[in-house]
Amino acid sequence: DEAGIPGIVVGVSVDGKEIWSEGLGYADVENRVVCKPETIMRIASISKCLTMLAVAKLWEEGKLDLDAPVQKYVPEFPEKTYEGEKVVITTRLLVSHLSGIRHYEKDITKVKEEKEKANRAFKLAKSNQEKELKEKEAKSLEKTDSVKAKKEHEDEVKSRNSKPGRREKEFEQEEYYLKEKFESVIESLKIFKNDPLFFKPGSQFLYSTFGFTLLSAVVERVSGQKFTDYMLKLFRDLDMLSTVQDDNEAMIYNRARYYVYNKKGRLANAPYVDNSYKWAGGGFLSSVGDLLKFGNALLYSYQVGQFKNINGKLLPGYLKPDTVTMMWTPVPKTEVSWDREGKYAMAWSVAEKKQQYGCCRQQRHYASHTGSAVGASSVLLILPEELGSEAMENGLVAPPRGVIVTIICNMQSVSLSNTALKIAREFDKGEGVQYVD
């Protein structure tokens, strides 16, 4: 209702079991096809998390060196210089967006201006919050409540009046709407491979979907298989049978249609695009059920090493615990636009456990990623349970332990991260809630 989304699907898993999945609204407005748990939509940048799983698996198998120059695997990508100095781009830099490879915006001046503008706005908002807090402390409780109610009302009105599916700066870039079909990931490198780097690799953060296009070429060469073939095999291993590349020509059952709002504020079909140039960074389709399976496979891998394996009952995780820990460890110099509490790790945003003051706000450790594509938005959030040593050693509980939330919708530019976190916290409470097997 708030964002004017035609159709939305939400899925929640607790301790490895899917306990809620529901579709709301329409997957296809024109034909009045309702959303259901099986509905398949673009997952946009959550595709980066799937690609990272492939990278991690190949690294574990000793086939991929994260710190080797990418040209070792993809000689078609030219060696780069920055300000006359030869520089090295590695897989490790690609997965954390520290490579210097551009995103959709080609003009570095505009990128810097937008970054500075965002930083100024964040500092101003933080300063205003601190100022408001001091003012509230000085006023009476009654007056404070009045101010709070007024602000909540203003925020609500502002939310209702904001235009849904608005065109963000990113959606103004021509390359977002490419219609050309690329036959291989190597071929799609031609879009950006000869462009200059925006900064010296490793020195700054710049979110780059094209960096993941290069990453898909690395995966292809290291695995010895076509990138999409390797990913489909990985999806089968994880029992993610509804997850496929966003191929316009293929018959994909339960696929939703995608929507935007036009200049007059009316619902319209999203423009035709071909996402073959960015399979790895934003080109997969999935269902909430499959994304929950993916989340649980990672959560199990992350936690299994913490449990005492009584009588060998616990199977190994798809990845080793240390590998997931590495993936979910914040990387210096990174930032996350959709979660100011978090830092970027390796294809995941991670918020670390933190509590500054006693009896005040506590921040739990969680990993997440959002996605925004033409006519679609998404989020996947993993909130691990904080386990006591006794529970892990006596064999009474087994991994995975925690809450996983995923939301997909067929409207672009919808912010879903806060909603996912709120839902995760509701299911995390566990008070008076019974989960039926």
Side-chain angles (χ1 to χ4, degrees), residues 142-414:
E142 187 182 341
K143 203 164 184 180
T144 303
D145 288 344
S146 171
V147 171
K148 186 180 177 184
K150 186 180 177 185
K151 188 178 186 303
E152 284 177 355
H153 176 70
E154 287 171 353
D155 288 346
E156 189 180 338
V157 171
K158 190 177 177 183
S159 174
R160 284 176 181 172
N161 292 339
S162 63
K163 286 189 176 180
R166 65 197 180 284
R167 276 206 170 196
E168 293 178 336
K169 295 276 183 192
E170 192 170 280
F171 285 95
E172 292 172 6
Q173 304 303 323
E174 286 180 15
E175 287 171 339
Y176 226 99
Y177 302 94
L178 289 180
K179 294 173 175 58
E180 181 182 351
K181 184 167 185 175
F182 291 89
E183 296 303 323
S184 70
V185 294
I186 299 296
E187 187 192 346
S188 61
L189 295 177
K190 72 179 184 182
I191 299 170
F192 62 92
K193 70 178 184 180
N194 294 318
D195 294 340
L197 298 180
F198 275 21
F199 51 80
K200 185 178 179 181
S203 66
Q204 292 180 48
F205 177 88
L206 177 66
Y207 190 87
S208 171
T209 292
F210 289 135
F212 272 72
T213 299
L214 176 55
L215 195 64
S216 65
V218 172
V219 170
E220 185 164 293
R221 290 293 167 74
V222 172
S223 67
Q225 298 177 51
K226 192 177 176 184
F227 174 72
T228 49
D229 290 345
Y230 184 80
M231 293 303 294
L232 288 173
K233 178 184 175 297
L234 183 148
F235 299 151
R236 283 197 300 274
D237 289 344
L238 297 175
D239 196 33
M240 297 169 63
L241 304 181
S242 298
T243 307
V244 292
Q245 66 260 37
D246 187 5
D247 186 343
N248 291 306
E249 296 168 11
M251 296 297 294
I252 299 171
Y253 296 103
N254 296 314
R255 174 162 37 180
R257 295 190 65 151
Y258 308 109
Y259 300 95
V260 296
Y261 280 90
N262 62 22
K263 290 177 182 178
K264 293 181 179 179
R266 299 291 298 273
L267 193 67
N269 288 306
Y272 175 89
V273 292
D274 191 302
N275 286 323
S276 58
Y277 71 102
K278 58 173 182 180
W279 296 133
F284 289 110
L285 305 174
S286 192
S287 64
V288 293
D290 271 17
L291 291 177
L292 292 178
K293 287 176 183 177
F294 171 63
N296 276 311
L298 280 178
L299 184 57
Y300 182 96
S301 299
Y302 178 66
Q303 292 178 330
V304 69
Q306 301 170 34
F307 285 78
K308 191 174 181 181
N309 198 353
I310 299 170
N311 301 324
K313 287 180 180 177
L314 295 178
L315 292 168
Y318 190 76
L319 295 177
K320 294 171 185 174
D322 289 348
T323 305
V324 186
T325 300
M326 175 183 74
M327 277 169 46
W328 288 351
T329 299
V331 174
K333 298 178 183 175
T334 63
E335 59 195 61
V336 179
S337 60
W338 65 86
D339 187 353
R340 288 291 183 179
E341 306 292 352
K343 286 276 187 184
Y344 210 84
M346 300 176 84
W348 284 89
S349 161
V350 178
E352 294 186 289
K353 183 179 178 182
K354 184 174 70 176
Q355 186 168 8
Q356 290 178 299
Y357 310 105
C359 295
C360 292
R361 181 177 176 274
Q362 183 184 20
Q363 182 177 292
R364 285 275 299 281
H365 169 237
Y366 62 89
S368 69
H369 212 294
T370 61
S372 192
V374 173
S377 303
S378 59
V379 65
L380 173 62
L381 185 142
I382 302 174
L383 180 68
E385 183 180 329
E386 294 180 333
L387 295 160
S389 57
E390 187 181 341
M392 293 185 284
E393 288 175 8
N394 60 21
L396 293 175
V397 294
R401 304 288 298 183
V403 181
I404 298 170
V405 177
T406 184
I407 307 170
I408 54 178
C409 73
N410 54 0
M411 170 58 64
Q412 71 189 39
S413 304
V414 179

Side-chain angles (χ1 to χ4, degrees), residues 421-433:
L421 189 56
K422 285 176 184 175
I423 292 171
R425 284 172 175 156
E426 284 299 316
F427 283 91
D428 183 54
K429 289 173 184 174
E431 295 173 13
V433 180

